[in-house]
Every structure is written in C-alpha cells, then in structure tokens.
Amino acid sequence: MASISLKIYSAALKTRTNVNVIIPTLLPAQDGMNKREHEFARFYETHGCYPVLYLLHGTYGDEGDWQRFSRIEDYARHHNVVVVMPYGENGAYRNAKSGKDYEVYITEELPKVIQWMFPVSKKREDTYIAGLSMGGGGAVRLGLSHPEVYGYTIGLSADFGLITENVKNNEFTVWSHAFEGVDLDADETSNSYKLAEKAMTEERNRTRLYLACGTEDFLYQENCRFHEYLDEIGYEHEFSTREGNHNWDFWDSEIKKVLDWLPLTPIEQELGF
C-alpha cells in the first residue's frame, strides 16, 4: 500500500485540513525471489478506478486513528480498495453555524478532491462511507442523506442520539459548536430514524446499511433500538453483534468483516492464487 498524508485547503471548512489516503500498489513476488525482469508496467497500466471507502474517526480522534490503532492498511491491500480518512474535529460531521460545513466537505468537496487526485471510481456503487462512534453516527446520517453518493454505509458502535441528548442537556459539550443555533427537537437532519423513514418513501436507490456494536458497549442498546426500527419500517440491513466493547479490539475485527461484506475483489482472486 501507498500511504499518503495530505494537507489541503477546504472551501467548505474555510481552513486547511488533513486527510490520510492509502492506495493499493504493486506487490512483491509472493515466493520472495528476486527476478531480473521488472514487472511493473502491466500493474500500473491495468489498475485504476479503485472502489473507495471514506472512513471517519470518533470523538477526540483524527485522520490517523485508523492507521495507528487498526490493521486497515493490510485489510485494504487484501481487498483492493482505496481508503480515505479525513479529519473531522469533534464536529459530528455536520454543517455548523460557525461556517465549518463538514457535511458539504465530506459528501461533496472531498470526493471531488479525491477523484481529481487518485485513480478511484466515481460510481456510487463503488463508493462507501463508514465510521466508528461519532463517526459511525455521522456515516449513517450522511449515507442515508446522500444515497446518490454512497452505495454502501457502515456504522460501527454508532451514535444514534447520545450526542444530541448531551448537547440538549448540558450547557457545554465537546460537540456544542457543531449544534450552535440548532433546534434539536425540530432538526431532522440529526435524526437517523427520520432519515431512514424518508428513504423508505423515496423512489431512488437506498444506500445499503451495515451496523455493528459489541454487547458490552455503552451504545449497544441505542444500536439495538435503531436496528429494530429499521426492521419495523422494512429497511433491509445487516446487524452484527457479539461480545465486545467500545474499543479498537472490536472495531479492528469488525472493519475486516465489513470489507468482506462489501462488493470487493480480494487480491488473491485477482492474481489467481
């Protein structure tokens, strides 16, 4: 894998921001033998238009979390997928009154930047969004709101209401700046339940959903309620639950399962192993 750290100016955020990108590249000979021939031309001539996964971090995190604390590079190499990891502050991936429009940045501006810079597909069926905790709730909300962008959406230990309840009930939280001036009782853009219900009434392709949460996670009951609601309204989805807590042991093993679930071609299959 090639690992690239970008610093770009974002018009939606009105500031410079960081993005990490990992891209599948040429692999060495599997038998470990050195060869006189240089077999790079065919790889770079035939590989392009990779599927792309936008991977969001949680509260207090940054663009480097997934690479530091999980084996995402190894999993992405195996599945031939580009992974884009943006910095989202503690902004819940929302448009804010302060002018930092994270929803516009993630769903509109960043995909344009990535498509301009890297060999990724522009098709919605090749474009995925995932995240953990705050990022999981953000990914689900953005996936449901923008099915024309994301064919597949994944929420790991996702927040489906805890953040908004904290903002409503406390004078200050780490997420307060993202909700300044918002009537949370009337704001349906924060409510994944409303967004899922709306998606069921619209004549367009719905994003495919995958949810996962450990049984010891403090967000487990919240995830179970959302899963049950999706069942109630008939929104087809995957719900993975097993023993696990709100930590990287669970998220690392689950993102591996997610990549198996996505419509990706493993490198061994491509190479005929």
Side-chain angles (χ1 to χ4, degrees):
M1 299 293 287
S3 178
I4 302 168
S5 296
L6 302 174
K7 184 178 286 291
I8 61 172
Y9 175 78
S10 165
L13 303 180
K14 301 172 181 62
T15 189
R16 290 181 177 84
T17 188
N18 297 328
V19 187
N20 283 0
V21 182
I22 52 179
I23 307 171
T25 54
L26 188 65
L27 290 171
Q30 297 301 303
D31 58 9
M33 298 295 291
N34 292 322
K35 297 181 180 180
R36 299 287 301 198
E37 311 87 55
H38 302 294
E39 299 177 345
F40 56 82
R42 185 173 65 87
F43 180 90
Y44 293 110
E45 288 169 358
T46 59
H47 285 68
C49 287
Y50 284 106
V52 56
L53 170 64
Y54 292 87
L55 197 49
L56 310 182
H57 65 75
T59 303
Y60 306 117
D62 63 29
E63 71 283 355
D65 281 12
W66 280 99
Q67 287 175 281
R68 286 196 298 269
F69 305 125
S70 82
R71 291 179 59 197
I72 187 61
E73 289 195 34
D74 187 44
Y75 304 148
R77 179 203 62 79
H78 173 72
H79 286 86
N80 272 330
V81 61
V82 170
V83 182
V84 179
M85 295 157 285
Y87 178 48
E89 298 185 80
N90 294 327
Y93 303 98
R94 296 173 46 84
N95 292 337
K97 189 176 180 180
S98 65
K100 289 192 174 183
D101 292 340
Y102 269 103
E103 180 167 346
V104 172
Y105 172 63
I106 297 294
T107 65
E108 298 180 35
E109 186 177 18
L110 184 58
K112 294 290 186 187
V113 171
I114 297 301
Q115 291 164 11
W116 175 63
M117 287 188 171
F118 301 109
V120 299
S121 173
K122 297 180 180 180
K123 298 177 181 178
R124 70 175 293 275
E125 59 265 31
D126 295 331
T127 305
Y128 325 126
I129 189 167
L132 64 87
S133 197
M134 176 190 76
V140 172
R141 182 173 55 80
L142 297 179
L144 290 170
S145 301
H146 301 275
E148 73 284 356
V149 178
Y150 309 108
Y152 295 77
T153 295
I154 301 97
L156 308 181
S157 305
D159 157 61
F160 293 115
L162 181 66
I163 287 178
T164 53
E165 285 302 311
N166 270 274
V167 172
K168 285 167 63 175
N169 297 330
N170 293 279
E171 183 176 345
F172 173 79
T173 72
V174 294
W175 311 285
S176 295
H177 65 285
F179 295 87
E180 182 183 357
V182 176
D183 181 352
L184 289 174
D185 293 319
D187 178 35
E188 295 190 356
T189 66
S190 302
N191 191 321
S192 291
Y193 289 81
K194 295 289 187 181
L195 293 171
E197 182 180 350
K198 182 181 178 184
M200 291 298 296
T201 66
E202 296 185 346
E203 293 295 329
R204 58 177 179 171
N205 289 329
R206 287 186 287 274
T207 189
R208 292 190 60 182
L209 279 176
Y210 181 108
L211 309 174
C213 194
T215 53
E216 283 68 54
D217 196 311
F218 66 91
L219 291 174
Y220 177 64
Q221 294 301 325
E222 193 173 312
N223 276 257
C224 287
R225 281 193 294 271
F226 188 61
H227 154 65
E228 290 164 1
Y229 180 74
L230 293 176
D231 275 346
E232 180 183 326
I233 64 174
Y235 198 123
E236 292 187 14
H237 64 288
E238 300 285 333
F239 184 47
S240 173
T241 183
R242 56 189 168 79
E243 185 177 351
N245 215 318
H246 202 79
N247 58 35
W248 283 99
D249 287 338
F250 182 82
W251 300 323
D252 178 62
S253 60
E254 202 61 38
I255 197 65
K256 185 175 185 296
K257 290 173 61 178
V258 165
L259 292 175
D260 289 336
W261 173 74
L262 289 169
L264 298 168
T265 303
I267 187 67
E268 288 84 354
Q269 182 177 333
E270 179 180 309
L271 296 177
F273 293 168

